[in-house]
Amino acid sequence: DEPSSTTTDAASANSKQHIESNQAFDARRTIGDGMHAVSNIINEHIIAARYVIFATVALLGAVGIARTPLFHRYKSISEIPKEFFAKRKTLHGRIIHIFQEESGSNTRTASEPSNASGNAEAPVICLVRHLSPVGRLLSKTAFIFSLSNSPAVRLGGAVEKSRDLLKVEIAGIKA
């Protein structure tokens, strides 16, 4: 009897080990499948993250380059350093608009000189767009294209009403 009980004990021990190994195998498989699913999700997001990072680096690079002195423009008279006026430095720009005095306009002050007929002489006043060093290289058609696609014009405004134009009175020239 003893040997047969030993065989049944061995058989039951083998079956217990087989059941435990199946449970362990199922647990490992479940964990493995879960990790596989998580790694797939991460891999999908890594590709998206790579695109986002690439776009961010490209955008920051473009902004960084745009802020270099090669693309710097003065958008108002107050931005121009005083030393430019004191040392009579040259600013390069393109005339965008010339103001015309309407006939019968009484916008002149008493201190302005008048000609023999009593009419005040009007100075020539222009709206000038300061050009960056790179902007000076643009051809006329490229410049007009950049103006027509500027944010002020895109929002329905006129180029002449743009806030980044310099109002300049040309010295010594009267209309």
Side-chain angles (χ1 to χ4, degrees), residues 34-55:
M35 289 181 68
H36 181 69
V38 168
S39 81
N40 282 341
I41 291 170
I42 290 172
N43 285 338
E44 289 173 14
H45 291 329
I46 282 177
I47 291 171
R50 285 179 185 162
Y51 285 117
V52 168
I53 289 171
F54 180 75

Side-chain angles (χ1 to χ4, degrees), residues 128-147:
V128 177
R129 180 179 171 98
H130 174 244
L131 296 176
S132 67
V134 172
R136 285 184 237 156
L137 301 175
L138 293 177
S139 66
K140 183 177 179 179
T141 55
F143 180 74
I144 291 171
F145 177 77
S146 70
L147 273 183

